[in-house]
Every structure is written in structure tokens, then in C-alpha cells.
Amino acid sequence: MLDEQNWSGTITYRASAIERPASVEAVQDLVARLPRVRALGTRHSFNDVADTDGVLIDMTGVPADLVPDAERSTISLGAGARYGLIAPAIDAAGLALHNMGSLPHISIGGAIATGTHGSGTALGSLSTAVTAMEFVDASGSIRRTAAGDASFPGLVLHLGRVGVVTRVTLAAEPSYEMRQDRFGPIPWSTFLANIASVFDAATSVCCFTGWDGQVRETLLKSRIPTDGPSLVVPDALLGAPRLPPTPASEHRTAVDGTAGPWWDRLPHFPITGTPSVGSEVQSEHFVPLRFAADALDALMSLHERIRPHLHVTELRTMAADDLWLSPSQGEPQLCIAFTWKKHPQAVQALLPDLEARLASFGGRPHWGKMSSLDGSAIAELYPRLPAFRDLIRALDPDQKFRSPFSERVLGC
Ligand SMILES: Cc1cc2nc3c(=O)[nH]c(=O)nc-3n(C[C@H](O)[C@H](O)[C@H](O)COP(=O)(O)OP(=O)(O)OC[C@H]3O[C@@H](n4cnc5c(N)ncnc54)[C@H](O)[C@@H]3O)c2cc1C
């Protein structure tokens, strides 16, 4: 049996083999020849979304072949590229992405397949940057889709179910600089009463709590304007003082008020270091931003059961979009991300109660993290799921990209 696992070591892939092609043609050949396959990115998902009972195609060996296009404000690149490795080259071409996740180690293909996000009430998930996509379909042929095609919003955020994405075009903008500043504890009741203003305090805001009566720290990631009024970073946030600077280290990007390139401030972790805590599992749920205070209040009732297993909970925001399977489809969301100690069984046992507390707010799970929600719960949360299933039936009549996860959770 293949003994290969995801990054956290909590999922052992049931796939019979992992192939690592070095060209798009080799990907096409594998897909055409094998009866059941699925693309694999950098293995950072915490559930079996990337697994298959066939063969996994690891896309990280296909060259990135970055093509920046300043005139069209786009970049195009291979889907197996990692954000952190390619971002400096995008910057060197005078361009930038609108946002990044906390972890720059992940692949572009894996991030867009699952709706990976950073923070920012005006910033969509990383999937929303896609303007065009090329993928190998079930016959082994290359298909192209672009914004404006009727099925495009169904194809972009696809959980690996449409095929193997080889190349994407992403919206870009002129390169910019950012700075990070952190602020001290805010009492929970003050935070709940002022959530909107906290998340409006910077381009990208991340709040950390241990469910102990306070937000222990708030991180403001502020974009530095290139024209117009200069940036003013407050000395205090809801009475919480700005904390002393933390210089860049192996484990953190610089939180010291200095200006730096977008790619070195948007993620929390540098590509050169161990991501996050290193020994963990994660779950994350999204609730419409208008329910943020009520949803957090509802979760607080579980604090005694949460805390023994918790490293930290991070609260972020994400703009609305119209991608069919996006957790942010329809309206802006509060993102409630739990970094748990590596206690997967205890976390799995807690999730049904946690998810029950969020059910009345329409809490949607992160596609790449732990959840106990089954297909019927997911169907309630995603009105466009039937349209996605129709799309898949037409694209993949022999169910080459079907997997135990897609069957269980998406029903296709
Ligand atoms: C420490 C840590 C921090 C994280 N931080 C964040 C965060 O800040 N925000 C957030 O939203 N998430 C976060 N995540 C979750 C992570 O971003 C997602 O799980 C993401 O999908 C991982 O990308 P990957 O390349 O590892 O994909 P994998 O886990 O390898 O695959 C994920 C899915 O993408 C599909 N896929 C991958 N590549 C392709 C391709 N080329 N073509 C078709 N399908 C493909 C796979 O089939 C699978 O369905 C974090 C995870 C970790 C471990």
C-alpha cells in the first residue's frame, strides 16, 4: 500500500500511486490512460478532498512558466506553482496579486480549487482572481474557459472535480507595498459590539482569540497608498495599544510597521520557514458578515470544550463573489478558522456541535479543512450545487475525477 500523507500527517492517501509529471503533455497522457485520477497540489488540505481511489497526479513538477502581462493586467502560470516561490517574480515584473492566504507554500491550483482566502472585507478569495483557466478533461484534451463563459463560475472553484488544471490566468494590478502592525487585547464584548469597525481598520485584518473573554491580538495589514492621502495607522484600536514591533523571523513575516512588498506582508508565514504551528489540524467555517457577532456569541458557549484542543482561532473577512461552490457566494463572510492541536479525533468529535451552533447562520465549511457536514447539509448550503452536478455529468460522463470525498460531500 502507498504510504503517502497530507502535510499534517492526518490523512493517508488511499490512492494506488502518485505520479509527478514534468509537462502538460505528460499530464494529458496520464489522464487519457488511467480510469480514475485526481490532481494533487502541495497536500496542505486537512481532509480527503485531494484523495482518490485511483491515481494522484502531483502538479508541482510541471514548470510554472510565468507570463506577466502588464498591458492586460494579468499573469498566467502553471497551476502547480507555489504562491511564495512565484510572487517575487510577479513583483519584479511590476505586478501584484490582490491577496494571499496566510500560507505561501500552497499551490495556485490547490488554492483556487478550494476557495482559499486571506483577509479583507473588500477582497475576494484567491479563486476570484482567476480570469481564465486551462484544464485537462476526462478525455485527456485541453479545455479553456474564461470569464464571461456561462459555466465559468461553476468551473473555477471545483474541488478537483472538473479535471486537472494546468494553467491559470490571474487578474493582477500594479505592484504595491504594505505594512503590518499588531494591537493588544480587546475585551470580547467590546469586540462584538464593534466588529464592523475592526475589520474596516485596514486592507486586511486578522483577529486572534483563545475563547477566553478577549481578542488577544489584532493584526492590521495596510496597503501603502501610492498617491492621495498618506496612510495613518492608529496608535490604538478600540483602546488596545499598538504592540512593539516583531521583526521578520523564520516563522513570521515582519510585523514591525515597515513597508515591504505585498508578497512579504500579506502571508503570515515566510515561504522559507515551517508553516504555522507545524503540529496541528484545522477547521474553518464561514458565516455571513451580518451575523458575525451572533455567530461568535453562539460559539462562545462551547469555550470549555474548545480550549483544551485549541492553538488559536483566527477571525478574518472575505468579500462576496458569484462562484457556484464558493463559501462566499452571495454575500461577504466572516471566516472563523480554528488551528487545533493535533488531536484529530477529539476535534472530529467536537465538530458536529460546533457546526450545529453555526447552522442557523448558514455556516459553510472550508472545502480543504475538517468538517462533519455530509452531502445533505452541503446541498442545503449551496443553491448552485445541482447546476455544478449537471456540469460535471456533461464534462466527465465516466466519472474519471470522482472521488470518495466528491461522492460523499458533493454527490457527484
Ligand atoms: C498551515 C496551513 C495554513 C493554511 N492557511 C489557509 C488560509 O490562510 N486560508 C485558507 O483559505 N486556507 C488555508 N489553508 C488551507 C489550504 O489553503 C487549502 O487546503 C488549499 O487547498 C491547499 O492547497 P494545496 O496546493 O495544498 O492543495 P491540495 O491539498 O493538494 O489539494 C486541494 C484540492 O485541490 C485540488 N487540486 C490541486 N491542484 C489542482 C490542479 N492543478 N487541478 C485540479 N485540481 C487541483 C485537489 O484535487 C484537491 O481537491 C491552510 C492550510 C495549512 C496547512
Side-chain angles (χ1 to χ4, degrees):
M1 200 182 118
L2 185 72
D3 185 23
E4 294 276 355
Q5 297 176 326
N6 66 339
W7 172 80
S8 62
T10 48
I11 300 285
T12 298
Y13 297 126
R14 72 185 86 189
S16 58
I18 301 182
E19 299 284 347
R20 193 163 182 267
S23 69
V24 170
E25 293 72 25
V27 175
Q28 289 181 264
D29 178 57
L30 283 166
V31 174
R33 213 154 43 74
L34 295 164
R36 188 151 297 202
V37 293
R38 172 158 280 255
L40 182 64
T42 52
R43 310 186 187 192
H44 284 99
S45 294
F46 291 92
N47 58 15
D48 62 340
V49 67
D51 201 5
T52 174
D53 44 18
V55 171
L56 281 167
I57 302 181
D58 174 341
M59 290 300 289
T60 60
V62 179
D65 187 19
L66 175 72
V67 180
D69 186 337
E71 214 161 281
R72 287 197 173 81
S73 295
T74 59
I75 55 154
S76 81
L77 75 173
R82 294 172 186 253
Y83 282 91
L85 293 181
I86 210 76
I90 299 173
D91 194 29
L95 294 171
L97 300 175
H98 77 291
N99 207 354
M100 288 173 75
S102 64
L103 185 72
H105 304 61
I106 56 172
S107 75
I108 281 110
I112 66 170
T114 58
T116 289
H117 62 94
S119 192
T121 310
L123 303 177
S125 76
L126 304 187
S127 315
T128 65
V130 179
T131 62
M133 189 171 99
E134 293 180 5
F135 60 99
V136 177
D137 71 9
S139 72
S141 306
I142 300 275
R143 291 210 191 202
R144 293 180 178 80
T145 181
D149 295 349
S151 56
F152 182 76
L155 290 169
V156 169
L157 201 169
H158 53 80
L159 283 76
R161 187 63 186 87
V162 304
V164 180
V165 177
T166 49
R167 199 164 178 82
V168 291
T169 304
L170 303 178
E173 50 193 291
S175 184
Y176 56 86
E177 287 194 316
M178 299 190 77
R179 59 179 274 177
Q180 298 191 87
D181 298 274
R182 65 191 183 105
F183 294 81
I186 301 174
W188 191 245
S189 54
T190 309
F191 175 70
L192 291 192
N194 294 280
I195 287 187
S197 68
V198 171
F199 283 107
D200 281 346
T203 318
S204 172
V205 177
C206 312
C207 303
F208 298 88
T209 182
W211 303 96
D212 52 357
Q214 61 177 6
V215 161
R216 76 162 73 131
E217 187 181 309
T218 300
L219 198 53
L220 301 192
K221 295 174 187 262
S222 310
R223 196 155 159 165
I224 302 194
T226 47
D227 52 16
S230 54
L231 175 70
V232 179
V233 176
D235 290 330
L237 190 67
L238 295 180
R242 194 177 332 156
L243 297 175
T246 316
S249 71
E250 191 198 336
H251 304 291
R252 295 297 279 189
T253 51
V255 188
D256 59 359
T258 61
W262 53 275
W263 55 265
D264 199 25
R265 296 293 183 275
L266 284 168
H268 297 341
F269 313 110
I271 183 83
T272 44
T274 305
S276 195
V277 181
S279 173
E280 68 196 61
V281 289
Q282 293 186 19
S283 65
E284 180 166 11
H285 291 80
F286 307 92
V287 292
L289 199 45
R290 65 197 155 103
F291 299 139
D294 290 340
L296 291 172
D297 206 26
L299 285 184
M300 187 53 100
S301 62
L302 287 176
H303 71 277
E304 282 177 5
R305 293 177 57 201
I306 289 173
R307 288 177 56 189
H309 305 295
L310 188 71
H311 283 304
V312 71
T313 294
E314 181 176 12
L315 307 173
R316 291 177 283 181
T317 52
M318 173 167 56
D321 62 59
D322 63 356
L323 304 177
W324 297 355
L325 295 189
S326 169
S328 218
Q329 190 266 328
E331 57 179 308
Q333 304 286 314
L334 174 76
C335 320
I336 312 171
F338 290 82
T339 297
W340 302 100
K341 293 173 187 163
K342 203 164 164 181
H343 301 167
Q345 279 147 2
V347 171
Q348 199 62 49
L350 182 52
L351 280 170
D353 287 342
L354 193 152
E355 290 172 325
R357 297 292 196 285
L358 297 179
S360 60
F361 307 107
R364 291 166 166 167
H366 191 302
W367 292 121
K369 300 190 181 184
M370 293 177 72
S371 167
S372 73
L373 295 184
D374 62 11
S376 58
I378 294 294
E380 293 278 313
L381 294 167
Y382 284 94
R384 305 308 306 276
L385 185 55
F388 182 77
R389 290 189 191 127
D390 289 346
L391 189 61
I392 295 303
R393 252 193 297 276
L395 266 176
D396 185 14
D398 296 328
Q399 308 194 340
K400 186 166 277 197
F401 302 110
R402 191 178 178 117
S403 70
F405 177 94
S406 75
E407 188 168 344
R408 188 176 76 241
V409 177
L410 301 176
C412 68

